[in-house]
Amino acid sequence: MGNDLIIRPQVPAKRPEISLPGLVFGTRPRVILKRSLWMLAAAFVLYFGVIGNLMHRIDANLDFTPPAPVEGGSHAVNMAEALITREVVTHRWTANDPIFFPTAFHDNMPNFQRGMMRAISRFTLELENQIGRLRGSSAIDSDLERASGLLQFPTDVWIFDLDQSFLPVQPAETQYEAAARALRAYNTRVARGLAIFETRADALAMTVERMASELGSRAAIVDEHVSADGFILDTVADDIFYLNKGMAYASYLLLRELGRDFENVITAQGLTRVWLQALDSLREASQQKPLVVLNSSGASSFLANHLHLQGFYLKRAILQLDEISRVIRATR
């Protein structure tokens, strides 16, 4: 009976221990599922939205100059090499990024880079066939032949190309880096007088004509897409727009530097004014920065059609480049 009168201290019930995952995700199945979905969505937005956007860069700087030019070499070849190196190494080549990369949902920069590489590839091809040879009678320069071939490599090939092999392959950026090295090797020999860089009027005419033809093919694509009268917002208009923007930008810089190489020819032919006008048209085509690329019905709409406007500047540049070619051919 005496023991019944003893008051025993109350021991608080021991709280169940909760692990760190339990604190983060919860302990009940419904809470775990809900929190997991929210965290997955946040990670998706952070990875593809924030990080991808930080990696997405369209560099259309008109004041760009080669950081390490070959002194005494061709200004245009220096520019071609520098543009390849800038897009492949400095900015990173994104046109072949697989679906799990942060830039997978950002297609404007890849299309811009594709357009640039297409313009550089066309210029290099004409360099191989026209400027780098003595009126087509001499052998093709080996470095130019290598650079031209490498620049034809598909832009979207990553480490694996399952259409060709299950084994790893050389990615596009590796091919383009090798092309840049070949262009530099050629230009180094030009500076030493060991390679041909013909500043003939007919070589300039042919090169300008072929570059205008390449721009013309892009202007035709603009016409075809605009005339289809599609929806004001579509997934194709911006692809066309940014590929054309890249082509116009690279063409502007290459022709600007080519004008320095052929300054005597341009001046002697009285083409300085129209040459500058062609550069101005390409500059305008490369500098449009719409927040959203709109594909309105054109004159019957109060909304803009950015492809239409871009196509106008491309066609104006084509006409001016064709005029340069015609004047040179007429005075031969």
Side-chain angles (χ1 to χ4, degrees), residues 193-209:
L194 301 176
I196 298 168
F197 186 86
E198 277 290 310
T199 54
R200 305 186 319 269
D202 64 309
L204 176 63
M206 185 65 73
T207 300
V208 166
E209 190 176 281

Side-chain angles (χ1 to χ4, degrees), residues 22-45:
L23 289 172
V24 175
F25 294 97
T27 55
R28 291 178 296 175
R30 188 172 180 179
V31 174
I32 293 173
L33 178 62
K34 186 176 180 180
R35 290 186 181 179
S36 298
L37 290 175
W38 275 109
M39 290 181 182
L40 185 63
F44 185 90
V45 171

Side-chain angles (χ1 to χ4, degrees), residues 45-70:
V45 171
L46 177 65
Y47 185 71
F48 290 105
V50 178
I51 298 176
N53 193 58
L54 291 174
M55 296 173 66
H56 185 267
R57 181 178 182 183
I58 296 173
D59 188 352
N61 177 19
L62 295 173
D63 297 324
F64 176 75
T65 55
V70 176

